[in-house]
């Protein structure tokens, strides 16, 4: 059995607190035509390096019914800068166009099979997975970027076309699992990552 959510599978529900003081579930986004759930954090250089490209993509497709939801599942014990207070500070500073949710128990990351930060999951109007993987091919330094897989998937989705490349390997730091060292990931995941 693969660790990460498979193409065609339904989005997994969650109920998580966000930096805006509210809690959100999958149903909170029922008015969104399409949903992008992505696992992210505060400190990872691959996240920091590509956040502005992710922002541009989120803003580009907002009027086409695409809503972005960022989830931080990293252990604050492993990386204190990934705690909720730092999340709030980050959103105040950058004002990203997405909700930023805290998955302290890491249950949502496990349900989705999040491998890295960032790791994107794009769901259609029926909340079926139509794309998962990386945002871009050089998230740490987007000046070297030649492919924006997330943008292409959203362009195809919002144009009513099939997604030509539904699966890519996410590029980034491993999700920081509670009680594990910084490089650990579930054994099922290891064969999925290049």
């Amino acid at each position: 059995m693969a660790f990460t959510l498979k193409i065609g599978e339904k989005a997994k529900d969650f109920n998580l607190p966000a930096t805006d003081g509210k809690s959100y579930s999958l149903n909170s986004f029922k008015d969104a035509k399409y949903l992008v759930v992505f696992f992210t954090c505060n400190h990872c250089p691959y996240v920091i390096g590509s956040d502005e490209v992710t922002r541009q993509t989120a803003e580009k497709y907002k009027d086409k019914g695409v809503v972005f939801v960022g989830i931080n599942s990293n252990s604050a014990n492993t990386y204190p800068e990934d705690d909720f207070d730092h999340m709030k500070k980050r959103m105040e500073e950058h004002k990203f166009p997405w909700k930023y949710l805290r998955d302290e128990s890491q249950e949502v990351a496990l349900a989705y099979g999040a491998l890295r930060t960032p790791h994107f999951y794009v769901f259609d109007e029926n909340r079926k997975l139509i794309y998962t993987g990386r945002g871009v091919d050089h998230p740490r330094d987007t000046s070297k970027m030649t492919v924006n897989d997330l943008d292409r998937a959203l362009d195809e989705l919002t144009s009513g076309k099939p997604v030509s490349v539904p699966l890519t390997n996410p590029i980034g730091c491993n999700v920081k699992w509670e009680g594990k060292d910084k490089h650990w990931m579930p054994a099922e995941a290891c064969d999925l990552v290049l």
Side-chain angles (χ1 to χ4, degrees):
M1 184 181 118
F3 173 68
T4 201
L5 209 58
K6 289 191 184 77
I7 298 301
E9 284 192 271
K10 297 277 271 193
K12 304 289 187 184
D13 201 8
F14 49 80
N15 194 337
L16 299 172
T19 55
D20 63 4
K22 299 175 187 170
S23 285
Y24 293 89
S25 67
L26 204 53
N27 196 50
S28 306
F29 305 100
K30 66 180 186 299
D31 294 336
K33 189 168 185 185
Y34 309 113
L35 191 65
V36 178
V37 174
F38 67 107
F39 290 84
T40 183
C41 66
N42 299 326
H43 81 278
C44 170
Y46 296 90
V47 168
I48 293 165
S50 58
D51 261 339
E52 288 308 314
V53 171
T54 305
R55 181 201 298 274
Q56 288 163 16
T57 302
E59 288 173 346
K60 180 178 175 181
Y61 292 100
K62 186 172 67 175
D63 292 340
K64 295 186 178 181
V66 180
V67 170
F68 277 61
V69 180
I71 300 176
N72 177 7
S73 302
N74 275 0
S75 164
N77 291 323
T78 307
Y79 263 96
E81 61 265 51
D82 276 330
D83 70 13
F84 197 51
D85 284 340
H86 283 88
M87 287 173 61
K88 288 192 269 194
K89 281 181 196 156
R90 195 153 193 273
M91 284 301 273
E92 281 166 23
E93 187 182 335
H94 295 284
K95 297 181 172 46
F96 291 121
W98 50 76
K99 301 299 180 195
Y100 194 15
L101 280 52
R102 179 68 176 135
D103 174 28
E104 192 149 358
S105 72
Q106 304 188 311
E107 286 172 13
V108 179
L110 284 167
Y112 277 75
L115 299 171
R116 301 198 181 274
T117 53
H119 189 167
F120 294 88
Y121 296 80
V122 179
F123 297 95
D124 67 10
E125 57 268 42
N126 301 311
R127 295 301 179 259
K128 287 190 175 170
L129 186 67
I130 56 98
Y131 173 79
T132 184
R134 66 192 188 183
V136 300
D137 60 344
H138 281 281
R140 192 169 183 151
D141 180 2
T142 52
S143 70
K144 296 177 181 170
M145 177 177 83
T146 59
V147 178
N148 188 329
D149 293 279
L150 180 62
D151 186 278
R152 180 183 57 221
L154 290 173
D155 181 55
E156 291 168 344
L157 175 65
T158 57
S159 303
K161 299 173 188 165
V163 174
S164 55
V165 183
L167 183 65
T168 59
N169 273 313
I171 301 170
C173 300
N174 292 346
V175 171
K176 305 302 182 239
W177 301 101
E178 183 68 36
K180 306 292 180 183
D181 74 34
K182 293 177 183 177
H183 304 292
W184 181 88
M185 68 167 58
E188 311 93 298
C190 295
D191 61 349
L192 297 174
V193 180
L194 292 174

